[in-house]
Amino acid sequence: MTIQMSKTFAATIEAPSPGANMGQAVPRYDAREKVTGQAKYASDYAVQRPAYAYLLTSAISLGSIVSFDLEKARAIPGVLAILTYHDMKDTVADSKFFASGGYLGSTIRPMQSAEISHDGQIIAIVLAETYETAREASYLIDVVFDVKPPSASFDTLGAKVRSAKLASLLTHDDPAVGDIEKGFASADVVIEAGYSTPIQHHNPMELFTTTCSWDGDKLTIYEPSQSVYGLKNGVAEQLGVDAGNVHVVNPYVGGAFGSKGMVTHRTALIAVAAKKIKRPVKLVATRDQGFTIATYRAETRHKIRIGATRDGKLSALSHEGWEVTSRPDSYAVSGTEATSRIYACPNVSTKVNIVYADRNTPGFMRSPPEVPYMFALESAMDELAEKLGMDPVELRRVNDTMREPIKGLPYTSRSLMACFDQASSAFGWSKRNLRPGSMRDGDWLIGWGCATATYPTQMAAAAARVRWSSNGNVEVETAAHDVGTGAYTVIAQTAADKLGVSIVKVTVRLGDTSFPPSPVAGGSITTASTCSAVAHTCDLLIARMAQRVGGAEDGQRAARVEGTQLVDSRGGKEEVAAAFERMGNTVLEQYGEWTPDGGGKGDIKSLYAGRSKITGGAKLKNSIQHAFGAEFVEVRVHARTKEVRVPRIVGAFAAGRILNPRTARSQLMGGMIWGISSALHEATEIDAQTARYINDNLADYLVPVNADVERVEVIFVPETDTQVNPIGVKGLGELGNVGTNAAVANAVYHATGQRVRDLPVRIDHLIV
């Protein structure tokens, strides 16, 4: 089958027209500040007489420090101090690991002893009058190590395997239902395959920076963070100081993707350094240091078995996964929570295993469980469809369900097949020839693949402060975080809609621990959580304003604001300006707290302590909450060189109410591009002998550029869900890059007839 590729593409649509149950696609609240350079990021804040820090990191992965030779470095003019574990020992206390509700992303404690646990561990801090001086001095430090042979990853000597269920009794379960062997015995068709995903690093544009300044016993921290209250309380615990004396400032985050969600040890170390030299200290870690002083997505392996009847209905599903973690920390993302529940299947068995190696501890990376685990499942579903001679979309249709199979809980809403229908129509899926290798354009083999996207709808308690002025101005304060997702914009829209003012009259302030707390910017919870809190606080303001509306009785509360009027539940009306005059105020201020269904009475208290208690998804007793999508990818594989290109990708998504189609489209489009990157580009290489990362830079760590992404189409499937939260929002920040890697790999198989089960897909996989 020969296909003539179109050379014309639709114009970029940066502001799609709103559909049903969608807000207006207003421009980004913070756009002008960002494009004009006025937006202040953490390292932009000026402090008085700063010293500059440069980190010296370990050149080995396991062993200990025998000695330092610091004389040459100390002799450089402008060097203020060189701190090692001899100076820092016992200055930073331990903190609970995040798996048990703590703040830190790792229990490995750098600079507290001579022990080395992983490559790139912080072993010294050089402090100088300039950054360049500190860097030069660090190059002159000689370190003698006692080196031990490390375990790098899977299959290396000394790596230990343990069940995640046994290692993390409080945080992990292996979902299962039915009789798995009976299910396979009744199957007409069984497929079994192994899959793997590589190490990946976040590489946000904004580097990992920290500035610490003491004023007596009060500490101010400027640091990019997805959880300023978590950073505040975590550092206070490490330093043994009152959390009330720690102030964190971070209104803008230049990308994070999970890497800035937990507290790293660098912050406390820089705080101690600042106290020792009695000057503020600025640290901007280098790009390569970011690979080891922060977290990353660990490599995974999977074994999938699926049994089905001739009509495609699943009779059994078994998914076993293996994940690498550091030697002391039982970190696991455990993506079987998603794969075990996505399709109707009466017999399910899952297991997650942790492999302990001599590495820095992994952590959250956009869609942490779903990206690696759904790759395995969605690839296996494509293999099953091929073995059945069935259209992959129809295979998913016959296994669609409104109840998840493990506990039988109903989905609050599930528009998966509506997503497949709209995306497949826009993509032209009906023209696909089922036979692999049958579609061609000259020297290019054409392949079409698809996959399911899903992400749990989660949220957490949040608080906000809103000021409403008689001149119509509104100020919103909450310690939420905008990591580039558009949080400023949707928060401003929420307040404007509730209080009946133009969005230009709303001022939003975020990312500061002097504001009421909001949860971590992770798990796609910010919009659902923070906007619910802002909406609730605005409702409290309206209720205070409307002690008497029109001719209503005393105590009658207003239901809403319409235009310039307060309107009560009986239809009584009063001008907002008149209400301000009646109350004798020009400004009303209101503090409000919101806790989601499934939350507890202590959630707000925990929030102030820096811990976000996330609920939703499959954590609820009576229902399950998920957002869904379907992604279709076209690949072109050169018949001779095996070069792989992705000329177009179409995704359709249903995520409840879309507050702003412009910012939502940007999130989904970015996720889909990252999914292409996950399939074809990204992999952190590790030396199996030394357990050291090799391509720890942006020259060798590959990410897509414009030439790699020709056309991306995002479709919003209208959906209303009144059960998830008062504003009907499902998170979508992480939805867009789930399943994309599988859709690409499936398309590569359709183009070439060669099944690639180990990511990323590379030319050498396709050369036969």
Side-chain angles (χ1 to χ4, degrees), residues 55 76 129 135 152 183 201 325 331 362 421 462 550 563 577 593 621 623 647 660 735:
L55 302 178
I76 295 178
E129 294 289 355
R135 180 179 59 188
H201 276 80
T325 188
Y331 174 85
D421 290 341
E593 301 173 347
K621 293 181 179 179
S623 64
N660 186 316
L735 177 64

Side-chain angles (χ1 to χ4, degrees), residues 419-461:
C419 292
F420 267 101
D421 290 341
Q422 292 196 31
S424 63
S425 176
F427 189 83
W429 184 258
S430 62
K431 299 176 183 177
R432 178 182 186 264
N433 189 317
L434 280 175
R435 184 167 59 86
S438 61
M439 298 167 63
R440 190 168 183 139
D441 177 24
D443 287 337
W444 293 93
L445 304 172
I446 308 301
W448 290 359
C450 67
T452 292
T454 185
Y455 197 78
T457 294
Q458 303 177 125
M459 59 215 80

Side-chain angles (χ1 to χ4, degrees), residues 6 27 444 483 546 625 668 716 720 725 734:
S6 171
W444 293 93
V483 295
Q625 303 173 346
L668 292 167
F716 292 117
T720 299
N725 48 61
E734 290 163 283

Side-chain angles (χ1 to χ4, degrees), residues 76-357:
I76 295 178
V79 171
L80 301 172
I82 301 175
L83 306 176
T84 70
Y85 75 91
H86 296 294
D87 310 286
M88 304 292 279
K89 187 177 181 180
D90 298 327
T91 60
V92 179
D94 198 3
S95 179
K96 293 179 181 178
F97 184 50
F98 66 82
S100 57
Y103 311 102
L104 284 179
S106 175
T107 57
I108 298 169
R109 299 170 64 201
M111 296 187 69
Q112 300 305 294
S113 73
E115 298 303 309
I116 300 298
S117 299
H118 63 82
D119 167 41
Q121 181 176 314
I122 301 170
I123 59 174
I125 301 173
V126 181
L127 302 169
E129 294 289 355
T130 68
Y131 172 86
E132 292 77 12
T133 300
R135 180 179 59 188
E136 180 184 358
S138 74
Y139 294 162
L140 298 177
I141 297 174
D142 290 324
V143 186
V144 177
F145 296 101
D146 177 19
V147 185
K148 296 179 181 179
S151 300
S153 185
F154 299 119
D155 306 326
T156 54
L157 187 65
K160 295 183 179 180
V161 183
R162 192 180 183 193
S163 161
K165 189 171 184 178
L166 294 176
S168 308
L169 292 175
L170 297 178
T171 59
H172 177 79
D173 192 19
D174 290 321
V177 69
D179 185 330
I180 192 69
E181 293 308 322
K182 184 178 179 181
F184 281 116
S186 66
D188 297 316
V189 175
V190 175
I191 66 108
E192 180 175 336
Y195 305 88
S196 71
T197 63
I199 309 165
Q200 294 179 335
H201 276 80
H202 306 79
N203 280 306
M205 290 180 66
E206 180 187 26
L207 295 168
F208 297 99
T209 78
T210 297
T211 300
C212 289
S213 177
W214 290 90
D215 182 6
D217 60 355
K218 297 188 182 303
L219 170 64
T220 300
I221 302 171
Y222 304 94
E223 180 174 307
S225 172
Q226 294 171 250
S227 177
V228 291
Y229 267 82
L231 183 61
K232 167 192 176 86
N233 286 274
V235 171
E237 183 179 330
Q238 289 178 286
L239 299 180
V241 301
D242 185 344
N245 287 334
V246 180
H247 179 204
V248 178
V249 180
N250 181 220
Y252 291 104
V253 183
F257 316 116
S259 64
K260 297 165 183 173
M262 304 300 294
V263 179
T264 70
H265 282 89
R266 78 177 191 275
T267 314
L269 295 174
I270 295 301
V272 171
K275 177 159 277 192
K276 282 183 176 292
I277 67 169
K278 297 181 173 56
R279 284 175 63 175
V281 172
K282 276 180 171 283
L283 166 72
V284 179
T286 62
R287 176 64 63 184
D288 63 305
Q289 289 171 349
F291 279 67
T292 59
I293 67 170
T295 58
Y296 59 99
R297 194 195 301 279
E299 60 269 53
T300 68
R301 287 181 177 175
H302 307 266
K303 180 180 178 182
I304 295 272
R305 291 179 71 205
I306 304 179
T309 56
R310 287 290 175 193
D311 60 0
K313 291 186 177 180
L314 303 187
S315 61
L317 168 63
S318 172
H319 188 171
E320 185 170 8
W322 290 262
E323 308 173 18
V324 169
T325 188
S326 66
R327 187 69 67 181
D329 294 331
S330 297
Y331 174 85
V333 295
S334 307
T336 52
E337 283 286 340
T339 60
S340 63
R341 290 178 162 88
I342 192 67
Y343 299 118
C345 185
N347 305 291
V348 178
S349 174
T350 67
K351 184 180 180 181
V352 174
N353 305 283
I354 302 175
V355 179
Y356 297 90

Side-chain angles (χ1 to χ4, degrees), residues 418-739:
C419 292
F420 267 101
D421 290 341
Q422 292 196 31
S424 63
S425 176
F427 189 83
W429 184 258
S430 62
K431 299 176 183 177
R432 178 182 186 264
N433 189 317
L434 280 175
R435 184 167 59 86
S438 61
M439 298 167 63
R440 190 168 183 139
D441 177 24
D443 287 337
W444 293 93
L445 304 172
I446 308 301
W448 290 359
C450 67
T452 292
T454 185
Y455 197 78
T457 294
Q458 303 177 125
M459 59 215 80
R465 183 183 299 114
V466 179
R467 298 184 188 92
W468 191 10
S469 300
S470 58
N471 61 6
N473 290 338
V474 175
E475 300 174 42
V476 181
E477 294 178 342
T478 180
H481 317 81
D482 193 324
V483 295
T485 55
Y488 275 104
T489 309
V490 293
I491 289 170
Q493 284 181 270
T494 299
D497 290 348
K498 275 288 182 179
L499 299 180
V501 301
S502 167
I503 193 171
V504 299
K505 303 282 277 185
V506 180
T507 299
V508 179
R509 300 186 180 94
L510 305 178
D512 191 313
T513 54
S514 64
F515 304 151
S518 278
V520 62
S524 297
I525 69 173
T526 295
T527 300
S529 306
T530 305
C531 289
S532 291
V534 170
H536 173 65
T537 306
C538 289
D539 285 339
L540 294 177
L541 266 178
I542 294 169
R544 283 178 58 192
M545 177 80 78
Q547 295 174 358
R548 292 182 64 185
V549 176
E553 298 176 0
D554 288 353
Q556 181 68 41
R557 299 304 187 191
R560 62 195 180 280
V561 175
E562 288 185 359
T564 62
Q565 293 183 320
L566 294 166
V567 183
D568 70 16
S569 55
R570 299 182 182 181
K573 297 181 179 181
E574 181 181 23
E575 290 292 325
V576 170
F580 268 107
E581 186 176 349
R582 168 172 53 78
M583 296 186 71
N585 292 333
T586 57
V587 178
L588 280 182
E589 179 177 296
Q590 181 67 49
Y591 167 84
E593 301 173 347
W594 178 81
T595 302
D597 290 341
K601 293 182 179 179
D603 286 7
I604 293 292
K605 183 178 180 180
S606 294
L607 198 62
Y608 273 97
R611 294 181 170 91
S612 304
K613 293 189 175 181
I614 299 175
T615 186
K619 301 180 181 74
L620 303 176
K621 293 181 179 179
N622 300 316
S623 64
I624 180 171
Q625 303 173 346
H626 268 246
F628 290 96
E631 300 191 17
F632 289 76
V633 173
E634 177 177 302
V635 303
R636 310 178 83 197
V637 181
H638 198 277
R640 293 193 296 273
T641 67
K642 306 304 181 184
E643 175 188 358
V644 182
R645 291 289 184 183
V646 180
R648 64 191 183 108
I649 177 171
V650 176
F653 304 93
R657 177 167 172 76
I658 305 299
L659 293 185
N660 186 316
R662 183 194 298 257
T663 58
R665 177 185 179 275
S666 176
Q667 282 298 289
L668 292 167
M669 182 172 63
M672 293 161 71
I673 293 171
W674 196 349
I676 295 171
S677 180
S678 174
L680 299 178
H681 300 271
E682 288 189 67
T684 305
E685 308 292 345
I686 190 167
D687 186 313
Q689 297 298 315
T690 63
R692 301 192 71 193
Y693 300 132
I694 298 170
N695 57 330
D696 53 355
N697 56 75
L698 285 183
D700 300 315
Y701 185 91
L702 303 181
V703 296
V705 295
N706 287 357
D708 296 305
V709 185
E710 295 184 38
R711 180 180 177 185
V712 181
E713 183 177 353
V714 175
I715 299 169
F716 292 117
V717 176
E719 182 182 66
T720 299
D721 192 324
T722 60
Q723 299 181 53
V724 287
N725 48 61
I727 57 177
V729 166
K730 292 180 172 182
L732 53 71
E734 290 163 283
L735 177 64
N737 67 327
V738 178

